[in-house]
Amino acid sequence: MKTSLSKKDVLSIADLSTQEINSILTLAAKLKREQKRGKARPLLRGKTLGMIFQKPSTRTRVSFEVGTYQLGGDAVYLSASDIQLSRGETIQDTAKTLSLYLDCIMARVYDHKDVQTLAEYASIPVINGLSDEFHPCQILADLLTIQEHKKKMKGLSLAWLGDGDNVCNDLLLGCAKTGISMTAACPKGYEPLEEVVKLAKSEGIKTGADIAITEDPAAAAKDADIVVTDTFVSIGKEGERATREATFLPKYQVSSDIMKLAKKDAIFMHCLPAKRGMEVTADVIDSRSSVVWQEAENRLHVQKALLCLLMKVAAV
């Protein structure tokens, strides 16, 4: 198994090859099995992760922090309002400074350009913990969850319903690179980024994955193996709530009627937090077909694997 990534930073799934994705998932599955058996290895002993947060977080913060501790490392929480960024220090100078103390940086930001600048000037690996355009860590957890439940990825069909947001952008790339056909059903004006769709279609040609964008949620869900959605009102979009709710509801809500269009053994996924009665009905997210809690748990395992591989820790 490959034990290090060729690229220093992971700002999007675009930064990972199919081989690198598989390496992360393989190691994540191994670390998960070991944790379940109570076997802990100090793979990150002597390593320190710095975590910059501009946005609130539950799963990203806890999974990165706990994962680092479980592997024997240390994690430092850095609220953007508490460090010198809040007083006008540039991202460039912050990146150079933090590189003197840390072994890796994870940043959860609003503007994707901020994490790009951080990566450009840091001499240590930088991970995008979420930006307005991409969310690679979530997609790695999604792919691990799909692999666990479906025992494969290549040849599956995934339906996305709702906003073509940061999660959708990276999910398109993750599906394309692992052979999962994906159809994203989004209202006009809320489609994923054009350059992402173009890249995903190009990657899909290599793996046999069909990538499509539509406005028809029923067409997307038809015979799908996996149905996925996300909040209709992301962080920073609260001012658009009324317009977004009028645009997305009820057409793009994942309901039991939508799930009936998918395959009988289809699973439902959501990155959380979820708003029952909005993007998904309670009877779907709380049903036996829902795997949202396994999906949330897998954030821990894929992030542990990603940290090990980025910091070039042999974990075989």
Side-chain angles (χ1 to χ4, degrees):
M1 183 182 69
K2 190 174 181 179
T3 57
S4 65
L5 296 178
S6 59
K7 295 183 180 180
K8 181 173 74 75
D9 310 304
V10 178
L11 309 186
S12 164
I13 293 296
D15 293 326
L16 298 170
S17 67
T18 297
Q19 182 181 1
E20 288 168 339
I21 292 171
N22 289 332
S23 292
I24 294 167
L25 299 183
T26 299
L27 180 54
K30 182 176 182 179
L31 293 173
K32 185 175 183 178
R33 290 193 300 270
E34 290 178 351
Q35 180 178 308
K36 299 298 184 185
R37 296 197 300 264
K39 180 181 178 182
R41 290 191 288 162
L43 298 170
L44 295 181
R45 179 179 291 164
K47 303 289 186 181
T48 303
L49 170 70
M51 307 184 299
I52 299 175
F53 285 89
Q54 293 179 350
K55 291 184 175 185
S57 172
T58 299
R59 280 150 290 274
T60 297
R61 177 180 177 178
V62 177
S63 57
F64 266 109
E65 194 164 340
V66 171
T68 303
Y69 291 151
Q70 287 181 351
L71 293 175
D74 291 298
V76 179
Y77 175 80
L78 302 167
S79 169
S81 62
D82 293 337
I83 59 179
Q84 295 294 345
L85 277 172
S86 65
R87 298 181 64 247
E89 183 169 34
T90 66
I91 296 174
Q92 292 92 326
D93 287 354
T94 299
K96 291 176 182 178
T97 300
L98 293 180
S99 296
L100 301 172
Y101 311 133
L102 304 169
D103 299 286
C104 185
I105 298 170
M106 184 281 295
R108 184 176 172 92
V109 302
Y110 285 95
D111 191 340
H112 188 68
K113 291 180 181 178
D114 286 351
V115 76
Q116 288 178 314
T117 302
L118 191 65
E120 180 181 355
Y121 287 90
S123 60
I124 56 177
V126 173
I127 300 169
N128 178 10
L130 178 144
S131 68
D132 60 349
E133 293 186 1
F134 298 104
H135 198 356
C137 296
Q138 180 62 54
I139 273 51
L140 292 171
D142 292 352
L143 293 174
L144 180 60
T145 305
I146 292 168
Q147 189 174 67
E148 288 176 337
H149 283 271
K150 296 299 182 180
K151 310 305 178 186
K152 65 174 184 177
M153 290 185 286
K154 189 175 179 63
L156 295 175
S157 174
L158 182 147
W160 172 275
L161 273 64
D163 191 10
D165 60 8
N166 46 9
V167 179
C168 182
N169 285 328
D170 257 340
L171 189 57
L172 282 164
L173 297 173
C175 286
K177 291 190 175 197
T178 56
I180 300 173
S181 293
M182 176 174 168
T183 300
C186 310
K188 188 174 182 180
Y190 294 89
E191 302 92 343
L193 295 172
E194 288 185 16
E195 59 267 32
V196 168
V197 175
K198 183 178 179 179
L199 178 57
K201 288 183 176 181
S202 177
E203 292 290 340
I205 291 172
K206 303 173 189 175
T207 63
D210 293 324
I211 303 298
I213 310 298
T214 182
E215 293 182 40
D216 187 348
K222 180 67 174 175
D223 295 326
D225 296 287
I226 309 114
V227 178
V228 191
T229 192
D230 191 7
T231 179
F232 295 154
V233 187
S234 299
I235 299 172
K237 303 292 185 181
E238 291 83 0
E240 303 174 17
R241 181 179 300 279
T243 299
R244 283 174 168 267
E245 290 181 3
T247 300
F248 287 100
L249 291 171
K251 183 176 180 179
Y252 292 91
Q253 183 184 73
V254 178
S255 63
S256 57
D257 288 338
I258 284 289
M259 292 301 294
K260 288 175 183 177
L261 297 173
K263 292 181 181 176
K264 288 185 178 181
D265 62 347
I267 57 175
F268 170 76
M269 299 176 66
H270 190 306
C271 65
L272 302 180
K275 294 180 176 62
R276 290 165 174 79
M278 295 295 292
E279 68 269 15
V280 60
T281 56
D283 61 336
V284 170
I285 194 171
D286 298 320
S287 71
R288 294 180 64 182
S289 64
S290 174
V291 297
V292 298
W293 304 116
Q294 296 94 317
E295 186 183 0
E297 179 191 347
N298 282 338
R299 289 291 304 276
L300 173 68
H301 307 298
V302 297
Q303 276 145 206
K304 288 163 73 172
L306 183 60
L307 289 170
C308 286
L309 294 169
L310 278 176
M311 288 190 266
K312 297 178 169 49
V313 176
V316 293

